[in-house]
Amino acid sequence: MASRKAGTRGKAAATKQAHRGSSNVFSMFEQAQIQEFKEAFSCIDQNRDGIICKSDLRETYSQLGKVSVPEEELDAMLQEGKGPINFTVFLTLFGEKLNGTDPEEAILSAFRIFDPSGQGVVNKDEFKQLLLTQADKFSPAEVEQLFALTPMDLAGNIDYKSLCYIITHGDEKEE
């Protein structure tokens, strides 16, 4: 009986620790984003126990075609949660990762500098030259990768308002 109680206490402590994620984490995301995170969490939580564990990660990788993931890599992922990873902790981890993204208005303001006519577009070739030569220079491969995801108008100009939305909210297109 004593060992059963100890086991129950251990589970309760783990659950309590898992719930310690920021109570404000849900206010960081829109309801649609939270739903998408729930779907992602559900896909990763292979055994459906509400906690992401090493076997869940290994099975998820396996389903994605990567069968030999080093134990250290799986352990490092789990250690980011600093305890059991339930949905709240999962959401908190994403919030921390995405926290470095500037607000949409700040990004739009930066693009407006390159759009003196206020049409909501910037010239692709001019922008490419800036990316390759200024500040934190992009490699040609990085520029091509960016442009593959960047909304363009019929003239080949960058629709920066749509791009800013994608940066701050994710791509809404169905794949």
Side-chain angles (χ1 to χ4, degrees):
M1 184 73 160
S3 63
R4 184 185 288 170
K5 273 190 176 180
T8 305
R9 249 188 256 130
K11 255 187 187 171
T15 302
K16 187 174 184 178
Q17 187 175 2
H19 283 290
R20 271 195 222 147
S22 170
S23 60
N24 244 358
V25 71
F26 290 94
S27 65
M28 293 173 62
F29 300 103
E30 295 173 12
Q31 192 59 39
Q33 291 173 305
I34 292 171
Q35 186 57 42
E36 288 176 9
F37 284 123
K38 280 183 184 176
E39 291 172 21
F41 182 86
S42 171
C43 289
I44 297 169
D45 183 20
Q46 297 287 316
N47 62 9
R48 306 286 185 248
D49 66 352
I51 303 287
I52 294 175
C53 62
K54 192 184 295 189
S55 64
D56 293 329
L57 293 175
R58 186 177 289 110
E59 179 61 28
T60 301
Y61 268 113
S62 176
Q63 289 179 1
L64 296 172
K66 188 172 180 182
V67 289
S68 58
V69 181
E71 290 291 315
E72 303 80 41
E73 189 175 331
L74 298 173
D75 290 336
M77 287 180 191
L78 292 171
Q79 287 171 0
E80 286 187 48
K82 297 174 179 59
I85 301 176
N86 66 5
F87 179 68
T88 304
V89 173
F90 181 79
L91 199 59
T92 301
L93 290 171
F94 273 94
E96 290 170 356
K97 297 280 186 202
L98 297 174
N99 199 23
T101 304
D102 290 322
E104 187 171 1
E105 190 54 43
I107 299 169
L108 284 169
S109 294
F111 272 106
R112 284 187 192 113
I113 294 169
F114 305 105
D115 181 23
S117 63
Q119 295 181 359
V121 296
V122 294
N123 181 282
K124 177 185 175 183
D125 296 327
E126 291 174 16
F127 194 64
K128 180 178 182 176
Q129 188 62 29
L130 289 171
L131 291 172
L132 292 169
T133 61
Q134 303 296 315
D136 291 334
K137 296 176 182 91
F138 279 46
S139 71
E142 289 171 324
V143 171
E144 292 310 312
Q145 184 179 20
L146 170 68
F147 286 165
L149 302 171
T150 302
M152 305 276 180
D153 68 8
L154 295 175
N157 294 312
I158 297 170
D159 175 356
Y160 68 81
K161 291 179 181 179
S162 294
L163 178 59
C164 289
Y165 186 86
I166 290 169
I167 292 169
T168 57
H169 296 89
D171 193 355
E172 294 292 317
K173 295 177 188 170
E174 290 294 320
E175 295 179 7

